[in-house]
Amino acid sequence: DAGITQSPRYKITETGRQVTLMCHQTWSHSYMFWYRQDLGHGLRLIYYSAAADITDKGEVPDGYVVSRSKTENFPLTLESATRSQTSVYFCASSQVAGVRTGELFFGEGSRLTVL
Amino acid sequence: KNQVEQSPQSLIILEGKNCTLQCNYTVSPFSNLRWYKQDTGRGPVSLTIMTFSENTKSNGRYTATLDADTKQSSLHITASQLSDSASYICVVSSSGGKLIFGQGTELSVKP
Protein backbone atom coordinates (compact mmCIF):
# COMPACT_ATOMS: atom_id res chain seq x y z
CA ASP A 1 0.00 0.00 0.00
CA ALA A 2 2.07 2.90 -1.32
CA GLY A 3 -0.43 5.61 -0.30
CA ILE A 4 0.81 8.95 -1.49
CA THR A 5 4.30 9.40 -2.90
CA GLN A 6 6.23 12.48 -3.94
CA SER A 7 9.24 12.79 -6.18
CA PRO A 8 11.89 13.94 -6.11
CA ARG A 9 12.42 14.08 -2.36
CA TYR A 10 15.28 16.55 -2.79
CA LYS A 11 15.96 18.95 -5.64
CA ILE A 12 18.48 21.72 -6.16
CA THR A 13 17.95 24.02 -9.11
CA GLU A 14 18.91 27.45 -10.34
CA THR A 15 16.89 30.61 -10.65
CA GLY A 16 14.88 30.69 -13.86
CA ARG A 17 14.75 26.96 -14.43
CA GLN A 18 11.55 24.99 -14.71
CA VAL A 19 10.95 22.39 -12.02
CA THR A 20 8.18 19.82 -11.73
CA LEU A 21 7.34 18.07 -8.49
CA MET A 22 5.37 14.87 -8.86
CA CYS A 23 2.65 13.50 -6.63
CA HIS A 24 0.95 10.13 -6.97
CA GLN A 25 -1.73 8.58 -4.76
CA THR A 26 -3.12 5.05 -4.83
CA TRP A 27 -6.29 5.60 -2.77
CA SER A 28 -8.43 7.12 -5.55
CA HIS A 29 -9.07 10.13 -3.33
CA SER A 30 -11.03 12.86 -5.09
CA TYR A 31 -9.15 15.78 -3.59
CA MET A 32 -5.48 16.55 -3.90
CA PHE A 33 -3.53 19.49 -2.54
CA TRP A 34 -0.16 21.16 -2.74
CA TYR A 35 1.21 22.99 0.28
CA ARG A 36 4.48 24.69 0.99
CA GLN A 37 5.99 24.76 4.46
CA ASP A 38 8.33 27.52 5.54
CA LEU A 39 9.65 28.54 8.94
CA GLY A 40 7.36 31.14 10.45
CA HIS A 41 4.51 30.43 8.07
CA GLY A 42 3.40 26.91 8.69
CA LEU A 43 1.65 25.12 5.84
CA ARG A 44 0.22 27.30 3.09
CA LEU A 45 -2.04 26.06 0.32
CA ILE A 46 -0.76 26.59 -3.22
CA TYR A 47 -3.33 24.78 -5.36
CA TYR A 48 -5.91 22.09 -4.91
CA SER A 49 -7.98 19.83 -7.11
CA ALA A 50 -11.43 18.42 -6.43
CA ALA A 51 -11.27 15.89 -9.27
CA ALA A 52 -9.51 15.19 -12.55
CA ASP A 53 -9.42 18.30 -14.73
CA ILE A 54 -10.68 20.51 -11.87
CA THR A 55 -8.12 22.71 -10.15
CA ASP A 56 -8.30 25.89 -8.12
CA LYS A 57 -5.96 28.40 -6.54
CA GLY A 58 -5.09 28.41 -2.90
CA GLU A 59 -3.49 31.03 -0.73
CA VAL A 60 -0.14 31.39 -2.56
CA PRO A 61 -0.53 30.29 -6.21
CA ASP A 62 1.69 32.84 -7.96
CA GLY A 63 4.58 31.26 -9.85
CA TYR A 64 3.08 27.77 -9.81
CA VAL A 65 1.12 25.71 -12.32
CA VAL A 66 -0.77 22.47 -11.72
CA SER A 67 -2.59 19.94 -13.81
CA ARG A 68 -4.61 16.85 -13.09
CA SER A 69 -5.33 14.73 -16.11
CA LYS A 70 -5.63 11.56 -14.01
CA THR A 71 -7.17 11.15 -10.57
CA GLU A 72 -4.01 9.67 -9.12
CA ASN A 73 -1.50 12.28 -10.28
CA PHE A 74 -1.16 15.94 -9.38
CA PRO A 75 2.11 17.49 -10.58
CA LEU A 76 3.22 20.94 -9.47
CA THR A 77 5.37 22.99 -11.86
CA LEU A 78 7.46 26.01 -11.11
CA GLU A 79 7.74 27.55 -14.55
CA SER A 80 10.65 29.86 -13.69
CA ALA A 81 11.98 29.11 -10.23
CA THR A 82 12.87 31.95 -7.88
CA ARG A 83 14.81 31.89 -4.61
CA SER A 84 11.64 32.70 -2.70
CA GLN A 85 10.29 29.33 -3.84
CA THR A 86 12.93 27.52 -1.82
CA SER A 87 10.76 25.50 0.52
CA VAL A 88 9.48 22.08 1.49
CA TYR A 89 6.50 21.10 -0.64
CA PHE A 90 3.87 18.68 0.57
CA CYS A 91 1.28 16.95 -1.52
CA ALA A 92 -1.84 15.70 0.25
CA SER A 93 -5.00 13.88 -0.67
CA SER A 94 -8.42 13.47 0.88
CA GLN A 95 -11.76 11.85 0.36
CA VAL A 96 -14.72 14.17 -0.13
CA ALA A 97 -15.86 13.67 3.47
CA GLY A 98 -12.32 14.14 4.69
CA VAL A 99 -12.16 17.63 3.23
CA ARG A 100 -14.95 18.76 5.57
CA THR A 101 -13.20 17.26 8.59
CA GLY A 102 -9.71 18.34 7.62
CA GLU A 103 -8.47 14.78 7.30
CA LEU A 104 -5.64 15.04 4.83
CA PHE A 105 -3.10 12.36 4.02
CA PHE A 106 0.28 13.90 3.33
CA GLY A 107 3.22 12.72 1.32
CA GLU A 108 6.75 12.75 2.67
CA GLY A 109 7.56 16.13 1.16
CA SER A 110 9.88 17.45 -1.53
CA ARG A 111 12.65 19.75 -0.36
CA LEU A 112 13.44 22.27 -3.10
CA THR A 113 16.39 24.63 -3.04
CA VAL A 114 16.63 27.39 -5.65
CA LEU A 115 20.11 28.89 -5.99
CA LYS B 1 -9.61 37.31 10.07
CA ASN B 2 -9.45 33.54 10.51
CA GLN B 3 -6.36 32.67 12.50
CA VAL B 4 -4.90 29.77 14.45
CA GLU B 5 -2.19 30.51 16.98
CA GLN B 6 -0.19 27.87 18.80
CA SER B 7 1.94 28.14 21.87
CA PRO B 8 4.63 27.65 22.82
CA GLN B 9 6.60 27.79 19.56
CA SER B 10 9.01 25.25 20.95
CA LEU B 11 9.29 23.12 24.05
CA ILE B 12 11.96 20.90 25.56
CA ILE B 13 11.01 18.32 28.17
CA LEU B 14 12.62 15.30 29.78
CA GLU B 15 11.53 11.81 28.87
CA GLY B 16 8.70 10.61 31.10
CA LYS B 17 7.38 14.10 31.82
CA ASN B 18 4.00 15.45 30.77
CA CYS B 19 3.39 18.51 28.62
CA THR B 20 0.53 20.56 27.23
CA LEU B 21 0.40 22.33 23.90
CA GLN B 22 -2.05 25.16 23.26
CA CYS B 23 -4.07 26.19 20.23
CA ASN B 24 -6.22 29.35 20.10
CA TYR B 25 -8.35 30.10 17.09
CA THR B 26 -10.56 32.84 15.72
CA VAL B 27 -12.08 30.79 12.90
CA SER B 28 -15.74 31.37 12.20
CA PRO B 29 -17.94 29.56 11.48
CA PHE B 30 -16.18 26.71 13.24
CA SER B 31 -16.59 23.14 12.08
CA ASN B 32 -13.87 21.07 13.76
CA LEU B 33 -10.29 21.11 14.99
CA ARG B 34 -7.66 18.52 14.22
CA TRP B 35 -4.21 17.92 15.70
CA TYR B 36 -1.45 16.62 13.46
CA LYS B 37 1.96 15.22 14.38
CA GLN B 38 4.83 15.86 12.01
CA ASP B 39 8.05 13.93 12.54
CA THR B 40 11.24 15.52 11.25
CA GLY B 41 11.52 15.02 7.49
CA ARG B 42 8.05 13.48 7.21
CA GLY B 43 4.57 14.66 6.32
CA PRO B 44 1.98 15.49 9.01
CA VAL B 45 -0.18 12.66 10.32
CA SER B 46 -3.54 13.16 11.99
CA LEU B 47 -3.68 12.44 15.73
CA THR B 48 -7.22 13.35 16.62
CA ILE B 49 -10.21 15.45 15.64
CA MET B 50 -12.41 17.56 17.91
CA THR B 51 -15.90 18.57 16.88
CA PHE B 52 -17.99 21.33 18.38
CA SER B 53 -19.76 19.05 20.83
CA GLU B 54 -16.66 17.26 22.11
CA ASN B 55 -14.74 18.44 25.17
CA THR B 56 -12.12 15.73 25.55
CA LYS B 57 -10.79 12.92 23.41
CA SER B 58 -7.91 10.55 24.07
CA ASN B 59 -5.67 8.66 21.70
CA GLY B 60 -3.27 6.61 23.79
CA ARG B 61 -1.01 9.01 25.67
CA TYR B 62 -2.43 11.97 23.77
CA THR B 63 -5.47 13.80 25.15
CA ALA B 64 -7.05 16.68 23.28
CA THR B 65 -9.49 19.15 24.78
CA LEU B 66 -11.71 21.73 23.18
CA ASP B 67 -13.45 24.73 24.70
CA ALA B 68 -15.65 26.09 21.92
CA ASP B 69 -16.73 29.04 24.04
CA THR B 70 -13.21 30.40 24.54
CA LYS B 71 -12.03 28.98 21.19
CA GLN B 72 -9.15 27.12 22.73
CA SER B 73 -7.81 23.61 22.36
CA SER B 74 -5.00 21.82 24.10
CA LEU B 75 -3.04 18.66 23.43
CA HIS B 76 -1.74 16.94 26.53
CA ILE B 77 0.98 14.33 26.23
CA THR B 78 1.40 11.99 29.16
CA ALA B 79 4.62 10.18 30.09
CA SER B 80 6.50 11.52 27.09
CA GLN B 81 8.75 9.30 25.02
CA LEU B 82 11.65 10.12 22.74
CA SER B 83 9.41 9.29 19.78
CA ASP B 84 7.10 12.14 20.76
CA SER B 85 9.75 14.58 19.52
CA ALA B 86 8.02 16.24 16.58
CA SER B 87 6.10 19.28 15.45
CA TYR B 88 2.46 19.36 16.48
CA ILE B 89 0.14 21.28 14.19
CA CYS B 90 -3.35 22.49 15.01
CA VAL B 91 -5.72 22.77 12.03
CA VAL B 92 -9.17 24.33 12.23
CA SER B 93 -11.86 23.69 9.62
CA SER B 94 -14.47 26.31 8.91
CA SER B 95 -17.98 25.30 7.94
CA GLY B 96 -17.18 26.45 4.42
CA GLY B 97 -14.54 23.73 4.14
CA LYS B 98 -11.50 25.99 4.47
CA LEU B 99 -8.58 24.71 6.53
CA ILE B 100 -6.58 27.13 8.65
CA PHE B 101 -3.23 25.84 9.86
CA GLY B 102 -1.35 26.91 12.95
CA GLN B 103 2.41 27.34 12.75
CA GLY B 104 3.03 24.37 14.98
CA THR B 105 4.79 23.66 18.26
CA GLU B 106 8.20 22.02 18.07
CA LEU B 107 8.50 19.47 20.88
CA SER B 108 11.83 17.97 21.81
CA VAL B 109 11.93 15.13 24.33
CA LYS B 110 15.35 14.61 25.87
CA PRO B 111 16.58 11.43 27.63
Side-chain angles (χ1 to χ4, degrees), chain A residues 28-31 33 50-51 93-104, chain B residues 97:
Chain A
S28 298
H29 285 169
S30 298
Y31 280 82
F33 307 82
S93 70
S94 178
Q95 298 175 344
V96 174
V99 172
R100 291 191 292 270
T101 66
E103 185 178 28
L104 305 182

Side-chain angles (χ1 to χ4, degrees), chain B residues 1 10 13 16 18-20 22 25 27 29 33 43-44 47 56 58 65 70 72 79 88 97 99 103 106-107 111:
Chain B
K1 180 181 178 182
S10 62
I13 62 173
N18 304 333
C19 68
T20 300
Q22 298 289 343
Y25 61 92
V27 177
L33 182 149
L47 282 175
T56 304
S58 292
T65 66
T70 62
Q72 296 179 326
Y88 291 84
L99 301 181
Q103 293 187 17
E106 193 74 33
L107 173 65

Side-chain angles (χ1 to χ4, degrees), chain B residues 27-83:
Chain B
V27 177
S28 182
F30 173 86
S31 177
N32 58 75
L33 182 149
R34 191 177 288 269
W35 284 93
Y36 281 85
K37 179 187 180 189
Q38 184 178 18
D39 292 321
T40 300
R42 308 292 294 272
V45 175
S46 177
L47 282 175
T48 188
I49 180 174
M50 303 295 290
T51 60
F52 187 85
S53 59
E54 294 176 311
N55 296 119
T56 304
K57 184 181 285 185
S58 292
N59 178 5
R61 295 180 295 102
Y62 299 98
T63 299
T65 66
L66 176 65
D67 186 332
D69 291 331
T70 62
K71 298 186 177 181
Q72 296 179 326
S73 176
S74 66
L75 181 68
H76 185 76
I77 303 174
T78 304
S80 61
Q81 300 176 357
L82 297 179
S83 59

